[in-house]
């Protein structure tokens, strides 16, 4: 099992190191193992009753998800496979009673994987509005003149926006991740436990609103630069610490209340205990364990020996891409660090093209011979590109691409108009989901998941230019599109 998911663990470790939203992932497996350890007496008292059919179904589904996620470089699917494989093994080898006893430790592991990103993104805007509402209310209570609209808070000397990173949703998840094992180990009823966790979440939301208010006070008295830097980081720690302290204090207060139940939540099994006082060692059949080992071994051999996509090098290297395209002449430039958005690319091209009338368009192309967890076209690194993305038709006729994404991005304090799309041998795509599905289908059907991302950019010095694709980018796109078809599959 460990060898089969070793690549997954490597990716998770990298995710915990690089993504602040999941930095708590290091402690989640340790807490899960502790929750299993405190159940050792209960597990020893349960009778082994393997459920081969149900367990097999879960294992097969988990194996399919692992195959799809691994060859298609969709690591979230691979993570879901990990979360399903564990209960499948427990069910196949020991049965329903053991799985029921281990529901919480297994369920708790979901906090270490980013499979909830899609759900979190959908509620992030709500928490931005809520934080702005609470922050503006606190500022009014303290006597400040405040004009509040949506996520913007206007004070006499400064205007603030509650950004996505300041919504507080990540702090909320960390409080829930700490709260669940806390109430499970200390409280005696689930009603009280849920109440403690909900109260901790309310305190965290209020603390994040307080963080917004503190930012407004600091910005008003000491300037806009106080909204970022060390002070911004400190206020983030403040929210998390207030949430955790409030969670523990409320839990302590609830524990002081009288309760008619004797056992804590993790000890509730003792209430209906029907086994001998000292349970003997279980006789677990070797057959289900051997079958599971063979299944996992066979799946691992198939994935690593036959299913993984091949590397597809470019027939024409990007360094030979023409410097003169129509009335545009290019030169090498480092106007952006492409590895920050698309790490691990096998080939990259970064140039600036200018025409005779003084127009300037930047070009960035990166190509992946194959994709894996360490190098992907779609990952959390490229999220800034999709912050305000819109899809436009190119009107290039039969020449690829037919549609492109348009977004705005700040690079080195310069605001850029960005036009980009993804290229595969079978066509061009714009959406994140479509790109992932194309990667999976090419990997499963053709044993390849090679692809490229093409990005055009133009500095914006006038807000009026933000409404639609600029004429210079349109002109350069029509000139460069045929050349791209020659150099990229």
């Amino acid at each position: 099992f460990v060898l089969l998911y070793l690549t997954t663990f490597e990716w998770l470790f990298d995710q915990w190191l690089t993504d602040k939203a999941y930095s708590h992932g290091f402690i989640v497996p340790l807490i899960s193992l502790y929750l299993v350890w405190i159940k050792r007496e209960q597990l020893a008292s349960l009778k082994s009753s393997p459920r081969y059919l149900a367990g097999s179904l879960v294992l097969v589904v988990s194996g399919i998800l692992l195959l799809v996620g691994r060859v298609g470089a969709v690591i979230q699917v691979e993570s879901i496979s990990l979360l399903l494989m564990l209960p499948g093994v427990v069910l196949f080898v020991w049965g329903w009673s053991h799985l029921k006893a281990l529901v919480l430790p297994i369920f708790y592991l979901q906090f270490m994987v980013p499979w909830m990103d899609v759900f979190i993104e959908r509620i992030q805007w709500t928490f931005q509005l809520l934080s702005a509402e609470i922050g503006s209310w606190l500022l009014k209570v303290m006597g400040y003149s405040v004009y509040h609209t949506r996520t913007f808070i206007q004070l006499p000397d400064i205007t603030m926006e509650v950004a996505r990173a300041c919504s507080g949703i990540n702090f909320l998840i960390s409080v829930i991740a700490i709260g669940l094992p806390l109430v499970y180990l200390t409280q005696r009823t689930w009603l009280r436990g849920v109440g403690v966790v909900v109260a901790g979440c309310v305190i965290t939301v209020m603390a994040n609103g307080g963080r917004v208010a503190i930012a407004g006070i600091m910005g008003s008295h000491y300037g806009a630069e106080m909204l970022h830097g060390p002070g911004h980081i400190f206020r983030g720690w403040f929210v998390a610490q207030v949430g955790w302290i409030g969670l523990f204090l409320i839990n302590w207060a609830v524990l002081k209340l009288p309760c008619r139940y004797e056992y804590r939540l993790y000890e509730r099994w003792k209430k209906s205990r029907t086994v001998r006082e000292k349970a003997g060692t279980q006789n677990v059949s070797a057959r289900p364990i051997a079958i599971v080992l063979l299944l996992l071994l066979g799946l691992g051999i198939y994935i690593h020996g036959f299913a993984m996509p091949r590397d597809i090098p470019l027939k024409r290297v990007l360094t030979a891409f023409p410097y003169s395209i129509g009335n545009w002449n290019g030169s090498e430039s480092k106007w952006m660090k492409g590895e920050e958005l698309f790490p691990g690319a096998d080939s990259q091209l970064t140039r600036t093209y200018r025409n005779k009338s003084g127009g300037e368009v930047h070009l960035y192309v990166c190509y992946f011979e194959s994709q894996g967890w360490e190098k992907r076209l779609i990952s959390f690194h490229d999220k800034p590109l999709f912050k305000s993305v819109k899809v436009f038709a190119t009107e290039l006729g039969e020449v690829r691409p037919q549609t492109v994404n348009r977004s705005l991005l700040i690079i080195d304090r310069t605001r850029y108009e960005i036009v980009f799309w993804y290229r595969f041998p079978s066509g061009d795509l714009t959406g994140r989901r479509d790109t992932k599905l194309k990667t999976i289908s090419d990997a499963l059907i053709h044993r390849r998941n090679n692809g490229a991302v093409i990005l055009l950019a133009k500095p914006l010095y006038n807000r009026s230019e933000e409404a639609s694709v600029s004429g210079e980018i349109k002109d350069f796109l029509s000139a460069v599109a045929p050349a791209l078809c020659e150099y990229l599959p």
Side-chain angles (χ1 to χ4, degrees):
F1 179 85
V2 172
L3 292 175
L4 190 64
Y5 285 96
L6 185 60
T7 302
T8 311
F9 289 127
E10 290 177 358
W11 170 76
L12 286 173
F13 186 81
D14 180 74
Q15 186 86 1
W16 302 338
L17 281 176
T18 57
D19 192 348
K20 295 179 181 179
Y22 290 93
S23 58
H24 60 271
F26 289 100
I27 199 174
V28 170
L30 301 178
I31 294 176
S32 179
L33 286 173
Y34 179 73
L35 294 177
V36 175
W37 173 253
I38 63 173
K39 285 179 168 288
R40 62 192 182 279
E41 184 182 355
Q42 179 185 1
L43 293 172
S45 70
L46 296 174
K47 182 180 179 181
S48 177
S49 181
R51 291 294 182 265
Y52 298 128
L53 180 59
S56 297
L57 290 175
V58 178
L59 289 174
V60 169
V61 172
S62 303
I64 293 174
L65 291 176
L66 176 61
L67 174 65
V68 169
R70 182 68 58 81
V71 303
V74 186
I75 200 69
Q76 290 84 357
V77 174
E78 201 171 319
S79 301
I80 295 174
S81 168
L82 172 64
L83 297 178
L84 286 178
M85 186 69 78
L86 283 171
V89 170
V90 172
L91 193 59
F92 193 97
V93 176
W94 289 285
W96 289 109
S97 58
H98 286 74
L99 182 58
K100 182 179 178 181
L102 294 172
V103 163
L104 184 61
I106 294 175
F107 170 80
Y108 189 73
L109 290 174
Q110 70 173 314
F111 287 104
M112 72 178 185
V113 300
W115 70 273
M116 294 189 295
D117 279 356
V118 176
F119 171 72
I120 291 174
E121 287 180 1
R122 292 190 176 186
I123 64 174
Q124 200 137 26
W125 174 249
T126 301
F127 280 87
Q128 286 177 252
L129 295 174
L130 185 59
S131 297
E133 185 73 36
I134 296 172
S136 61
W137 176 78
L138 290 174
L139 287 169
K140 289 177 182 178
V141 169
M142 289 184 285
Y144 287 85
S145 177
V146 179
Y147 176 74
H148 166 232
T149 174
R150 297 167 74 89
T151 59
F152 291 91
I153 299 175
Q154 185 174 347
L155 295 164
D157 301 318
I158 194 172
T159 298
M160 302 188 305
E161 179 186 9
V162 179
R164 292 171 63 86
C166 299
S167 66
I169 187 67
N170 293 328
F171 302 124
L172 199 64
I173 292 175
S174 69
V175 167
I176 296 174
I178 296 297
L180 277 179
L182 175 66
V183 300
Y184 185 66
L185 295 173
T186 58
Q187 294 296 334
R188 288 174 168 79
T189 68
W190 279 113
L191 181 61
R192 292 188 177 192
V194 171
V196 169
V197 175
V198 170
C201 292
V202 172
I203 291 175
T204 304
V205 172
M206 294 298 296
N208 197 59
R211 173 196 185 192
V212 173
I214 292 173
I217 295 172
M218 300 286 285
S220 294
H221 291 280
Y222 302 104
E225 61 273 7
M226 291 299 297
L227 298 179
H228 304 282
H232 185 269
I233 297 173
F234 172 77
R235 290 189 295 273
W237 290 344
F238 162 79
V239 173
Q241 291 169 355
V242 168
W244 294 333
I245 292 172
L247 182 72
F248 277 90
L249 288 176
I250 291 176
N251 187 69
W252 174 79
V254 173
L255 284 175
K256 295 296 182 180
L257 300 176
C259 184
R260 59 190 180 92
Y261 293 99
E262 177 184 0
Y263 297 109
R264 287 169 290 186
L265 291 173
Y266 80 94
E267 301 171 320
R268 294 283 288 273
W269 66 275
K270 295 179 180 179
K271 183 178 179 180
S272 57
R273 188 173 182 176
T274 57
V275 298
R276 298 188 305 272
E277 191 65 28
K278 291 185 178 181
T281 303
Q282 296 183 72
N283 292 319
V284 181
S285 173
R287 184 174 64 177
I289 296 178
I291 293 174
V292 168
L293 286 173
L294 289 173
L295 286 174
L296 297 183
L297 179 62
L299 179 61
I301 292 174
Y302 174 72
I303 289 178
H304 293 287
F306 303 97
M308 292 304 294
R310 309 179 307 274
D311 287 353
I312 310 295
L314 283 173
K315 294 181 179 180
R316 304 181 69 179
V317 295
L318 289 179
T319 53
F321 194 80
Y323 284 90
S324 179
I325 304 174
N327 63 338
W328 295 86
N329 293 308
S331 61
E332 299 294 334
S333 66
K334 293 294 183 183
W335 65 277
M336 70 169 288
K337 297 178 181 178
E339 59 274 8
E340 293 182 357
L341 296 175
F342 307 100
D346 297 294
S347 303
Q348 295 188 71
L349 173 68
T350 309
R351 290 183 186 169
T352 298
Y353 284 82
R354 297 176 178 86
N355 59 17
K356 295 180 180 180
S357 60
E360 180 181 275
V361 175
H362 301 295
L363 171 66
Y364 174 75
V365 181
C366 70
Y367 176 75
F368 294 85
E369 297 179 359
S370 64
Q371 297 183 59
W373 73 266
E374 74 282 7
K375 51 177 189 175
R376 290 169 287 158
L377 283 169
I378 300 293
S379 69
F380 71 93
H381 296 282
D382 67 352
K383 283 184 179 180
L385 286 174
F386 288 89
K387 185 177 180 180
S388 57
V389 71
K390 293 182 179 179
V391 179
F392 287 85
T394 61
E395 301 178 357
L396 293 177
E398 297 181 358
V399 180
R400 300 160 63 187
Q402 299 299 309
T403 58
V404 294
N405 292 312
R406 183 182 183 273
S407 181
L408 302 175
L409 188 65
I410 297 177
I411 302 174
D412 293 334
R413 299 183 180 181
T414 301
R415 193 174 183 84
Y416 286 90
E417 173 190 6
I418 303 289
V419 169
F420 67 100
W421 68 97
Y422 300 93
R423 172 154 294 181
F424 291 90
S426 55
D428 293 348
L429 300 168
T430 55
R432 290 170 64 92
R433 184 180 303 173
D434 293 339
T435 302
K436 287 184 178 181
L437 291 175
K438 172 57 69 173
T439 301
I440 293 172
S441 63
D442 283 354
L444 292 176
I445 298 173
H446 305 292
R447 277 195 64 202
R448 70 185 185 199
N449 58 14
N450 57 310
V453 61
I454 304 154
L455 189 148
L456 313 179
K458 175 183 177 297
L460 288 179
Y461 304 108
N462 191 336
R463 289 279 181 176
S464 62
E465 299 176 342
E466 297 182 3
S468 60
V469 180
S470 65
E472 289 177 345
I473 284 189
K474 287 182 178 179
D475 180 60
F476 181 72
L477 178 59
S478 63
V480 79
L484 288 171
C485 291
E486 293 182 19
Y487 279 80
L488 295 175

